[in-house]
Amino acid sequence: MPAALSVIRDEHRSLVAVLQALQFLVRDIRDRGVEPDFDLFSLILDYIEIFPEKLHHPKEDDYLFKAVRTRTAEANAVLDELEREHARCDELIHSLRHALARYRVGGAQGFEAFAAAVDDYLDFHWKHMRKEEDVVIPLAERVLTDADWTTIDAAFKANDDPLFGPQPKQEFRTLFQLIVNRAPAPLGVGAPAPEKR
């Protein structure tokens, strides 16, 4: 298997873990009445914004999708859709941050708008990743050459994104570890979330 596909799938799994944590925390507030951990929500949104939107998606667009387009037009419609979705992610993150800020300032009456923004983002991202893994990756495995994969592998293995300096992976690991340390079990190793009295 090309190294890039392992990286893409690993990055998807890491993102899924963070998104599931976000979903769990929102459900815990809704179903159990636990107090919101706004700092944890902010860390999760930082991870979502920094990791997929600034590093992962651009490499998919510039390397994987571009290479597939050079070999076949079979998936052009899906690739166009995925690239539009990548471009839309900043808007969705902005909506999440805005909804979180309103919730933090406005209290309980802001929860439903935040929960709805989270649900919208999760639905968007689950569908997005499914298209990549169920349509694009199998097609790429079928049509790309060894030379294509050499270029794509190098791009996904490179850790030279200027946003994060010489070791971006360590930055992601650190942020991910902060989330795990802060999130309550079963998501992480943090203290149980206090229920509202």
Side-chain angles (χ1 to χ4, degrees), residues 107-154:
Q109 62 267 27
F111 172 72
E112 286 307 325
F114 175 65
V118 167
D119 289 344
D120 288 346
Y121 186 81
L122 293 174
D123 183 59
F124 167 84
H125 239 297
W126 300 144
K127 289 175 181 173
H128 178 83
M129 284 190 286
R130 286 280 43 97
K131 282 182 263 189
E132 290 177 344
E133 295 205 9
D134 295 345
V135 177
V136 177
I137 289 176
L139 180 62
E141 289 177 305
R142 185 166 49 84
V143 302
L144 296 183
T145 67
D146 289 343
D148 295 330
W149 285 117
T150 298
T151 302
I152 297 165
D153 288 349

Side-chain angles (χ1 to χ4, degrees), residues 83-93 124:
E83 287 173 349
R84 281 192 304 272
E85 289 172 0
H86 286 172
R88 186 171 167 237
C89 285
D90 281 342
E91 169 193 328
L92 293 172
I93 293 291
F124 167 84

Side-chain angles (χ1 to χ4, degrees), residues 22 26 29 36-46 92-107 110-111 113-115 117-118:
L22 179 59
V26 168
I29 293 167
D37 185 337
F38 292 111
D39 291 337
L40 178 55
F41 281 133
S42 292
L43 285 172
I44 290 171
L45 296 188
D46 289 346
L92 293 172
I93 293 291
H94 177 75
S95 294
L96 278 171
R97 286 196 183 279
H98 188 67
L100 179 62
R102 284 194 319 259
Y103 180 28
R104 185 175 220 153
V105 171
F111 172 72
F114 175 65
V118 167

Side-chain angles (χ1 to χ4, degrees), residues 9-197:
R9 287 180 174 129
D10 286 347
E11 290 176 353
H12 282 180
R13 279 193 290 272
S14 294
L15 180 57
V16 164
V18 172
L19 294 178
Q20 286 176 331
L22 179 59
Q23 184 177 47
F24 178 90
L25 293 168
V26 168
R27 284 184 183 160
D28 235 12
I29 293 167
R30 180 181 287 133
D31 298 343
R32 293 183 45 232
V34 301
E35 291 290 336
D37 185 337
F38 292 111
D39 291 337
L40 178 55
F41 281 133
S42 292
L43 285 172
I44 290 171
L45 296 188
D46 289 346
Y47 184 89
I48 291 169
E49 182 173 22
I50 293 167
F51 175 61
E53 310 312 339
K54 304 290 189 241
L55 186 65
H56 178 81
H57 290 164
K59 286 188 178 182
E60 287 176 331
D61 290 343
D62 295 342
Y63 294 93
L64 180 64
F65 297 176
K66 190 174 192 177
V68 169
R69 285 182 190 279
T70 66
R71 299 293 173 198
T72 182
E74 185 177 329
N76 279 356
V78 172
L79 293 172
D80 290 345
E81 187 176 351
L82 289 169
E83 287 173 349
R84 281 192 304 272
E85 289 172 0
H86 286 172
R88 186 171 167 237
C89 285
D90 281 342
E91 169 193 328
L92 293 172
I93 293 291
H94 177 75
S95 294
L96 278 171
R97 286 196 183 279
H98 188 67
L100 179 62
R102 284 194 319 259
Y103 180 28
R104 185 175 220 153
V105 171
Q109 62 267 27
F111 172 72
E112 286 307 325
F114 175 65
V118 167
D119 289 344
D120 288 346
Y121 186 81
L122 293 174
D123 183 59
F124 167 84
H125 239 297
W126 300 144
K127 289 175 181 173
H128 178 83
M129 284 190 286
R130 286 280 43 97
K131 282 182 263 189
E132 290 177 344
E133 295 205 9
D134 295 345
V135 177
V136 177
I137 289 176
L139 180 62
E141 289 177 305
R142 185 166 49 84
V143 302
L144 296 183
T145 67
D146 289 343
D148 295 330
W149 285 117
T150 298
T151 302
I152 297 165
D153 288 349
F156 274 90
K157 288 195 285 186
N159 293 330
D160 61 356
D161 189 282
L163 183 63
F164 303 104
Q167 294 183 326
K169 284 198 166 199
Q170 183 56 46
E171 302 258 346
F172 295 135
R173 278 195 290 269
T174 300
L175 185 53
F176 189 80
Q177 194 60 51
L178 284 170
I179 293 168
V180 169
N181 287 341
R182 184 112 187 186
L187 303 171
V189 295
E195 294 191 26
K196 291 181 181 173
R197 301 198 184 277

